[in-house]
């Protein structure tokens, strides 16, 4: 039998990885609704599919590619997904997050097929596998920092002054950058969630939500009376200081205001708490908000 060249092995490994990655990406894309079944498929499909394709491609030591390929693919998917902006970043569509599956398949299966077919000393193959493992481990270890960096860039790109609440009175519970909120009702903006600390310094269950929108979108009154927010709510009414109050009979109270180029909406259990939180808002850095957990 004619010996397959290393380039041919790499090419066939690339084709196998492309197919596996595309199938896995398609499963992930349609995962909404019955996520448990799709998760099971994502974990199970690469082994039989990769093995079948490796046999059909007549790869040398095909069984190594069939077994090690899914492991390399799974590790690389996590690493590549950590390198791209999270779903909160407005500059990329959600479909972009299918790309790591395809790239992980291409890189993982091509590398494994090439290493499995190599002849001669074992140490270069071992060194290549170790280097790839170390690279993946380093990326995964810094996953949170990478996500914060992407979110910081997205926040800094918003046309508004970033305002937040102090850690002495409020504990941050997370933040998200969004675009086209509620079907295009609002432009790109920023939402932050807090919990109120009581006098003893412990966290209360009373939540405070802060939403920031560029003032170019409209006015504080328009933010208060926008259709999606006003549905099944009482009519907004003005308050002193160019503030607007929106209160639901059984839900939270929201106060909207404008500070320079930023529209603000603060939601809290009561009007007093919403107005107090609004008064406590101070300029903060994008890095600070990006680190909210």
């Amino acid at each position: 039998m004619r010996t397959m060249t290393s380039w041919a092995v790499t090419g066939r490994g690339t084709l196998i990885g492309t197919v596996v990655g595309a199938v896995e990406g398609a499963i992930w894309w349609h995962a909404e609704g019955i996520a448990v079944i799709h998760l099971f498929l994502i974990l199970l499909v690469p082994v039989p599919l990769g093995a079948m394709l490796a046999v059909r491609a007549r790869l040398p030591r095909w069984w190594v590619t069939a077994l090690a390929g899914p492991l390399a693919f799974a590790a690389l998917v996590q690493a590549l997904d950590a390198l791209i902006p999270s779903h909160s970043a407005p500059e990329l569509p959600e479909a972009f997050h299918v790309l790591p599956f395809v790239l992980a398949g291409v890189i993982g299966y091509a590398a494994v097929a090439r290493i499995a077919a190599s002849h001669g000393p074992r140490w270069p193959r071992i060194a290549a596998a170790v280097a790839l493992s170390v690279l993946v481990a380093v990326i995964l270890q810094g996953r949170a920092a990478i996500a914060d960096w992407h979110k910081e860039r997205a926040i800094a790109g918003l046309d508004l002054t970033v305002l937040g609440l102090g850690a002495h009175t409020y504990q941050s519970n997370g933040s998200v950058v969004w675009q086209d909120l509620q079907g295009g009702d609002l432009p790109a903006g920023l939402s932050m969630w807090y919990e109120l600390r009581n006098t003893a310094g412990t966290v209360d269950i009373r939540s405070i939500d802060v939403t920031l929108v560029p003032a170019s979108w409209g006015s504080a009154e328009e933010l208060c009376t926008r259709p999606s927010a006003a549905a099944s709510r009482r009519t907004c009414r003005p308050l002193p200081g160019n503030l607007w109050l929106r209160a639901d009979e059984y839900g939270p109270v929201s106060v909207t205001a404008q500070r320079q180029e930023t529209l603000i909406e603060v939601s809290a259990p009561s009007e007093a708490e919403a107005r107090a939180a609004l008064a406590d808002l101070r300029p903060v850095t994008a890095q600070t908000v990006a680190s909210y957990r």
Side-chain angles (χ1 to χ4, degrees):
M1 179 181 292
R2 183 170 59 89
T3 302
M4 190 178 298
T5 66
S6 59
W7 286 110
V9 170
T10 303
R12 296 187 185 191
T14 299
L15 290 175
I16 294 172
T18 301
V19 174
V20 173
V23 170
E24 291 288 273
I27 295 173
W28 177 88
W29 180 254
H30 294 91
E32 188 175 357
I34 46 177
V36 174
I37 296 177
H38 286 85
L39 177 62
F40 180 74
L41 291 174
I42 284 177
L43 295 175
L44 194 63
V45 163
V47 176
L49 179 59
M52 180 187 69
L53 293 173
V55 172
R56 293 291 299 272
R58 298 181 180 180
L59 288 177
R61 301 191 183 113
W62 66 266
W63 52 272
V64 176
T65 302
L67 296 176
L71 297 177
F73 170 77
L76 285 168
V77 164
Q78 298 297 317
L80 292 173
D81 185 65
L83 291 176
I84 67 175
S86 64
H87 292 274
S88 64
E91 64 264 23
L92 294 175
E94 188 177 357
F96 188 85
H97 292 263
V98 175
L99 186 60
F101 289 96
V102 179
L103 289 178
V106 169
I107 298 171
Y109 276 90
V112 169
R114 180 72 175 263
I115 293 173
S118 298
H119 298 282
R122 292 184 178 180
W123 68 264
R125 286 174 280 175
I126 296 175
V130 170
L132 184 61
S133 300
V134 170
L135 177 62
V136 170
V138 169
I139 294 175
L140 293 180
Q141 185 68 25
R143 184 170 195 150
I146 295 171
D148 288 349
W149 182 80
H150 283 304
K151 187 188 289 188
E152 181 183 346
R153 288 181 59 250
I155 294 172
L158 297 173
D159 186 23
L160 50 75
T161 300
V162 182
L163 303 169
L165 295 171
H168 294 293
T169 308
Y170 306 89
Q171 174 174 299
S172 60
N173 267 357
S175 63
V176 63
V177 180
W178 40 259
Q179 66 174 358
D180 296 330
L181 186 65
Q182 297 170 337
D185 182 50
L186 291 176
L190 173 66
S191 291
M192 298 164 285
W193 303 280
Y194 300 87
E195 286 183 350
L196 187 64
R197 297 183 185 274
N198 58 31
T199 54
T202 57
V203 176
D204 199 345
I205 61 173
R206 304 176 73 80
S207 61
I208 309 292
D209 300 341
V210 178
T211 298
L212 305 180
V213 180
S216 57
W217 176 82
S219 65
E221 179 183 4
E222 291 173 309
L223 184 63
C224 181
T225 59
R226 69 187 190 276
S228 61
S232 72
R233 292 179 179 268
R234 298 175 181 174
T235 304
C236 292
R237 62 181 176 87
L239 296 174
N242 196 27
L243 307 180
W244 288 83
L245 174 70
R246 184 179 65 245
D248 186 32
E249 186 174 1
Y250 302 106
V253 172
S254 297
V255 174
T256 60
Q258 179 173 349
R259 291 189 187 173
Q260 298 178 350
E261 72 273 25
T262 304
L263 294 176
I264 307 165
E265 179 176 272
V266 178
S267 298
S270 68
E271 177 185 343
E273 289 169 321
R275 297 185 68 171
L278 180 64
D280 288 339
L281 285 173
R282 296 290 183 272
V284 294
T285 64
Q287 182 180 14
T288 298
V289 175
S291 65
Y292 282 175
R293 296 286 186 271

